[in-house]
């Protein structure tokens, strides 16, 4: 199992979901843990139901309002799940709580940043606490440029050069489409992966191939194999008594670009299947009665 921490005060929910979706495309069962202090997933992506904590969001699962490893284990048990049921756990945090709480050592830590003053002001405290608590002085960084650019060494100066940042990929240029896709994802409950800019997809692929120590060709082959397995029902989420359901209505990502109204498309497909089934039943009935 891979345990990944997303560090920083920036709203990383869309990035976490895209990353989880990319990992899930290889046939992995992925859990995103919302350890933020503002319950961003609960109020943005989840259709809240009382006493439920584990929810499905397309091909990933989300555990809401969870601030410690002990709490994570307890909530999964209530949902009839175990830690080992998941191939990858992504923990999203926007404060220092996961640094000081009883979380085990993360296999990978990604600091996700942008240029807004609001984010930078909070990240300085988070990053200083991270160095103090862990002694780590090197962090992998994923950076999203904002409309206003600032000097590359600005954050380093605020941190008194306590941390060295290794960029997983080149900083992503500002793109207002990102916010449109975030709103689309929140309201339509669909991950618009194919609508992402090419560099964003390359960033996600770079992260996943590094995490799993694999080449791009191996990743592409694994994703294609998983897609075929999904069609034959081999990669379905395990049933639970919570909100997690099987992926019986999964949308083919290759066609997502062409689907302006994916829900209507699904309804049409369902109707075609029903009509086909009815025709077959009528034919057999005629045969029986000699029609």
């Amino acid at each position: 199992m891979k345990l990944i921490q997303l560090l920083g005060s920036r709203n990383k929910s869309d990035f976490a979901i895209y990353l989880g979706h990319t990992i899930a495309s290889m046939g992995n069962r992925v859990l995103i843990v919302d350890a933020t202090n503002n319950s961003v997933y609960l109020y943005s992506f989840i259709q809240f139901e009382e006493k439920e904590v584990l929810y499905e969001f397309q091909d990933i699962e989300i555990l809401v309002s969870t601030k410690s490893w002990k709490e994570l284990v307890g909530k999964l048990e209530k949902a009839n799940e175990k830690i080992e049921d998941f191939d990858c756990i992504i923990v999203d945090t926007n404060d220092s709580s996961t640094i000081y709480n009883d979380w085990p050592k993360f296999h990978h830590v990604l600091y996700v940043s942008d240029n807004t003053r609001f984010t930078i002001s909070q990240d300085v405290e988070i990053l200083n606490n991270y160095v103090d608590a862990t002694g780590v002085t090197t962090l992998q960084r994923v950076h999203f440029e904002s409309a206003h650019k600032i000097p590359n060494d600005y954050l380093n100066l605020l941190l008194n050069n306590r941390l060295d940042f290794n960029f997983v990929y080149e900083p992503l240029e500002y793109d207002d489409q990102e916010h449109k896709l975030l709103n689309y994802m929140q309201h339509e409950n669909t991950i618009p992966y194919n609508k992402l800019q090419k560099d964003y997809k390359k960033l996600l692929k770079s992260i996943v191939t590094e995490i799993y120590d694999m080449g791009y060709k191996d990743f592409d082959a694994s994703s294609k194999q998983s897609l075929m397995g999904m069609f034959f029902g081999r990669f379905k989420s395990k049933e639970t008594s919570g909100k997690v359901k099987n992926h019986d209505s999964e949308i083919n990502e290759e066609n997502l670009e062409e689907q302006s109204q994916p829900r209507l498309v699904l309804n049409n497909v369902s109707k075609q299947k029903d009509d086909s089934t009815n025709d077959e039943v009528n034919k057999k009935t005629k045969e029986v009665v000699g029609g």
Side-chain angles (χ1 to χ4, degrees):
M1 181 192 70
K2 300 291 184 180
L3 187 61
I4 303 169
Q5 181 185 32
L6 302 183
L7 190 65
S9 60
R10 184 182 193 272
N11 181 1
K12 306 178 292 301
S13 58
D14 54 340
F15 172 74
I17 289 174
Y18 290 136
L19 178 61
H21 175 72
T22 307
I23 295 173
S25 73
M26 299 189 299
N28 294 309
R29 192 178 181 199
V30 179
L31 175 68
I32 294 178
V33 178
D34 181 8
T36 63
N37 55 18
N38 53 2
S39 301
V40 62
Y41 294 86
L42 181 62
Y43 295 110
S44 299
F45 301 96
I46 300 303
Q47 299 295 325
F48 177 74
E49 291 195 16
E50 191 175 355
K51 297 182 180 180
E52 299 292 350
V53 293
L54 184 62
Y55 297 83
E56 185 183 68
F57 191 85
Q58 198 166 312
D59 57 358
I60 59 178
E61 291 158 57
I62 299 175
L63 190 67
V64 298
S65 305
T66 305
K67 304 290 285 186
S68 70
W69 182 257
K70 182 178 180 180
E71 191 176 5
L72 185 156
V73 173
K75 286 183 176 181
L76 285 181
E77 287 180 352
K78 289 183 179 179
N80 296 323
E81 297 285 359
K82 299 179 181 178
I83 294 292
E84 53 267 26
D85 291 334
F86 298 91
D87 303 301
C88 178
I89 297 179
I90 300 173
V91 181
D92 183 359
T93 178
N94 60 2
D95 58 20
S96 300
S97 60
T98 55
I99 299 172
Y100 297 109
N101 289 348
D102 63 337
W103 294 90
K105 183 177 180 180
F106 290 93
H107 300 121
H108 299 272
V109 179
L110 295 174
Y111 166 51
V112 185
S113 63
D114 61 30
N115 288 341
T116 63
R117 186 172 181 178
F118 180 80
T119 297
I120 294 172
S121 300
Q122 296 179 89
D123 285 356
V124 169
E125 179 181 358
I126 294 173
L127 294 171
N128 274 321
N129 288 340
Y130 181 80
V131 175
D132 292 340
T134 66
V136 175
T137 58
T138 302
L139 265 182
Q140 286 191 306
R141 184 177 180 183
V142 176
H143 185 69
F144 293 84
E145 291 284 4
S146 303
H148 178 71
K149 293 189 176 183
I150 60 175
N152 293 331
D153 61 348
Y154 181 67
L155 181 60
N156 300 70
L157 293 175
L158 293 178
L159 291 168
N160 294 318
N161 295 306
R162 298 187 71 196
L163 270 169
D164 291 324
F165 296 109
N166 295 326
F167 288 96
V168 179
Y169 190 79
E170 293 295 322
L172 291 181
E173 293 295 327
Y174 175 74
D175 181 13
D176 59 0
Q177 179 73 2
E178 177 189 339
H179 301 287
K180 294 178 182 179
L181 293 181
L182 174 59
N183 288 330
Y184 173 87
M185 182 158 52
Q186 291 176 347
H187 290 285
E188 298 299 327
N189 299 117
T190 300
I191 303 173
Y193 177 83
N194 280 350
K195 296 180 183 294
L196 291 175
Q197 59 174 305
K198 291 182 179 179
D199 282 343
Y200 203 144
K201 293 179 183 178
K202 289 180 180 178
L203 164 67
L204 294 168
K205 185 180 288 190
S206 296
I207 295 172
V208 173
T209 53
E210 181 173 338
I211 289 174
Y212 286 90
D213 192 22
M214 64 193 309
Y216 279 14
K217 291 184 178 180
D218 292 333
F219 169 82
D220 292 336
S222 180
S223 297
K224 289 180 181 178
Q225 183 179 5
S226 173
L227 185 62
M228 291 300 296
M230 181 185 68
F231 288 146
F232 291 98
R234 293 171 53 198
F235 295 107
K236 293 182 179 179
S237 298
K238 297 180 180 179
E239 294 184 4
T240 70
S241 59
K243 293 299 294 178
V244 181
K245 301 176 182 178
N246 286 339
H247 297 188
D248 293 329
S249 301
E250 191 72 63
I251 299 175
N252 184 355
E253 286 191 3
E254 296 297 328
N255 298 325
L256 183 58
E257 192 78 41
E258 303 172 2
Q259 295 180 5
S260 58
Q261 298 182 19
R263 289 181 177 176
L264 293 179
V265 172
L266 285 176
N267 289 337
N268 289 339
V269 171
S270 178
K271 185 177 184 302
Q272 290 171 3
K273 288 182 178 179
D274 290 340
D275 291 341
S276 175
T277 302
N278 290 335
D279 290 341
E280 185 176 351
V281 171
N282 291 335
K283 181 179 179 181
K284 290 182 176 180
T285 302
K286 290 181 179 180
E287 292 176 352
V288 172
V289 299

